[in-house]
Amino acid sequence: MKLLITGGAGFIGSNFIRYWLNKYPDDKIVNLDVLTYAGNLENLRDVEGNKNYKFVKGDICDADLVDKLVKDIDLIVHFAAESHVDRSIQNSEDFIKTNVEGTRVLLDAAKNNGGIRFHHISTDEVFGALSLNSDPFNENTPYNPRSPYSASKAASDHLVRAYFHTHKLPITISNCTNNYGPFQFPEKLIPLFATNLMEGKKVPVYGEGGNIRDWIYVDDHNAGVDAVVKKGKIGETYCLGGENEITNLEITKNILNLMGKGEEMIEYVSDRKGHDFRYAMDITKAKKELGWEPKLKFEEGLKKTVGWYKNNEDWWRKIKTGEYMKYYKKQYNENNK
Ligand code: NAD
Ligand code: DAU
């Protein structure tokens, strides 16, 4: 099988490529990534020499490029997105371009080239926010996105389903909860807090830290995507999650413990605008229909993840100083002269 992975130089996509090449070493992967601030070829150093792996620097909004790339592709797994809620609050322009228009371009390329199997990676945030006592989201929860990021992801989900109903494009969608693990960009809660502490800086907890997220280890998410791709029913959506709800403050205290730091390192800062209170996912359908469930316990996963950031200072320090942008893009341009 030959796969087109979009956004494979980002956090989840790079872990997915590593996961897939390990599990299906005869498959071929083309990774299309434009290398925004979040894309980093260092995430894929260990696979770049693999003869079944190819990187293409390009934008999913570039219809001519995408149309050429999909010619001999059997499966598209679409990760590419602007992914950070806080950035979407500052400026939503790139979110609409990449998440909505980019998805449309990929769908048209899949449709116009014989109806290529298309799996769309989405998020729990499209369903809105839960109160403390309400039931978790499931596949039938009405959409109610509340940030520009989640609104753009919701729009992309609707487009993907519309291409199934209108054009019979063979699609599936997975909506997953908060991922954590190696190679996550240090703007997101876990890597930001772990690396701040290594730099001797405080950790900025929004509001009072009472907001709740459901965390899943990135390889468990990717195993779920694998299960949907291989066993999911065409046209269907599958909710994936870690069954692990925890407040931001609890998670912060866990990270402080693992780093041997005290609570004086917490800095309570202004809350995120429109901050969604709680996300949680009912994953019964994926368990029953796909035989999938998350495996790694959160305490173990968090320890492993914090350990990874401790052992990979070079990776995140280059990102935090901005050096990675100059170095990797220069190197890529030189390799491709
Ligand atoms: P990320 O920000 O780490 O990576 C995104 C990647 O997409 C980067 O490599 C970037 O260069 C690339 N990209 C962005 N715009 C592009 C464009 N126009 N053309 C080509 N490439 C482009 O994101 P992530 O956290 O790995 O998330 C991947 C996907 O998973 C996203 O669709 C996101 O909405 C979804 N998701 C993320 C989480 C999470 O917790 N991180 C949870 C559920 C779903
Ligand atoms: O739920 C899935 C989503 O999870 C994905 O779709 C998004 O791409 C991903 O970024 C993530 O969104 P969140 O907003 O939940 O993740 P983030 O790591 O930015 O924040 C997690 C929680 O921690 C949230 O309640 C806000 C809070 N937070 C975050 C940061 C960066 C802080 O308190 N301080 C911070 O500095």
Side-chain angles (χ1 to χ4, degrees):
M1 189 148 78
K2 187 163 177 185
L3 290 76
L4 177 69
I5 305 299
T6 70
F11 163 49
I12 307 178
S14 62
N15 280 289
F16 182 81
I17 289 173
R18 184 171 301 102
Y19 166 98
W20 197 274
L21 287 173
N22 276 334
K23 188 158 176 200
Y24 307 106
D26 295 331
D27 282 357
K28 292 186 168 41
I29 287 187
V30 177
N31 172 16
L32 172 63
D33 197 302
V34 77
L35 299 182
T36 64
Y37 78 93
N40 185 351
L41 291 177
E42 185 68 2
N43 300 358
L44 290 159
R45 274 287 168 259
D46 54 332
V47 304
E48 68 187 2
N50 186 315
K51 65 176 180 7
N52 287 335
Y53 169 76
K54 185 180 162 200
F55 173 69
V56 175
K57 184 176 189 295
D59 195 325
I60 58 167
C61 299
D62 180 342
D64 291 339
L65 172 68
V66 170
D67 193 66
K68 270 186 215 127
L69 284 178
V70 300
K71 291 291 179 220
D72 58 346
I73 292 292
D74 306 302
L75 165 67
I76 298 170
V77 187
H78 175 34
F79 290 91
E82 286 296 332
S83 70
H84 194 43
V85 174
D86 292 324
R87 287 181 190 256
S88 82
I89 295 168
Q90 295 303 318
N91 184 350
S92 62
E93 193 177 338
D94 287 346
F95 288 75
I96 305 304
K97 272 192 203 143
T98 289
N99 301 1
V100 186
E101 170 65 1
T103 302
R104 197 274 305 161
V105 167
L106 288 162
L107 288 166
D108 274 337
K111 167 177 84 69
N112 296 337
N113 287 278
I116 300 168
R117 175 82 172 85
F118 190 99
H119 181 71
H120 180 58
I121 304 292
S122 193
T123 171
D124 58 359
E125 303 198 10
V126 296
F127 299 121
L130 295 166
S131 60
L132 200 55
N133 298 318
S134 42
D135 289 338
F137 304 127
N138 64 44
E139 289 78 4
N140 299 315
T141 305
Y143 275 43
N144 185 21
R146 295 153 41 101
S147 75
Y149 162 69
S150 54
S152 69
K153 291 297 289 186
S156 68
D157 291 11
H158 289 316
L159 264 179
V160 174
R161 266 185 218 109
Y163 273 64
F164 167 69
H165 291 291
T166 309
H167 300 296
K168 308 283 173 271
L169 192 71
I171 65 98
T172 41
I173 300 178
S174 51
N175 294 82
C176 191
T177 60
N178 285 61
N179 282 223
Y180 69 102
F183 299 111
Q184 185 166 32
F185 197 85
E187 64 185 350
K188 307 280 165 52
L189 177 78
I190 291 177
L192 177 71
F193 284 17
T195 59
N196 268 15
L197 293 170
M198 281 185 263
E199 292 177 302
K201 291 183 190 158
K202 293 194 171 190
V203 296
V205 170
Y206 295 164
E208 291 173 5
N211 300 62
I212 296 169
R213 296 291 181 267
D214 168 18
W215 294 90
I216 183 170
Y217 192 70
V218 65
D219 285 344
D220 276 335
H221 175 196
N222 284 331
V225 173
D226 180 4
V228 177
V229 162
K230 298 272 169 157
K231 299 184 206 160
K233 202 169 150 220
I234 297 301
E236 294 278 310
T237 291
Y238 293 86
C239 286
L240 307 176
E243 294 187 317
N244 176 63
E245 289 184 54
I246 178 166
T247 66
N248 294 339
L249 196 54
E250 284 172 84
I251 217 170
T252 303
K253 288 180 184 169
N254 288 340
I255 297 171
L256 288 168
N257 263 336
L258 286 166
M259 297 296 302
K261 304 280 181 184
E263 287 181 30
E264 70 284 357
M265 293 308 281
I266 297 178
E267 185 178 6
Y268 291 94
V269 299
S270 313
D271 210 350
R272 174 184 279 173
K273 281 189 189 170
H275 197 172
D276 286 343
F277 176 63
R278 173 179 164 233
Y279 306 138
M281 211 53 128
D282 178 345
I283 58 171
T284 307
K285 179 179 174 184
K287 281 184 178 174
K288 276 197 185 147
E289 291 187 18
L290 311 173
W292 167 88
E293 62 182 355
K295 292 211 168 76
L296 197 62
K297 295 241 168 337
F298 184 66
E299 308 79 71
E300 256 177 79
L302 189 65
K303 199 171 162 197
K304 186 168 157 176
T305 300
V306 169
W308 188 88
Y309 289 94
K310 278 186 187 164
N311 292 329
N312 289 276
E313 278 204 29
D314 194 45
W315 180 86
W316 60 260
R317 282 195 189 275
K318 276 185 193 146
I319 293 177
K320 281 193 146 179
T321 59
E323 194 192 327
Y324 79 112
M325 295 283 261
K326 284 182 257 157
Y327 175 71
Y328 295 112
K329 282 170 189 174
K330 182 168 167 279
Q331 180 174 311
Y332 174 79
N333 291 336
E334 277 167 8
N335 289 345
N336 286 278
K337 262 182 196 159

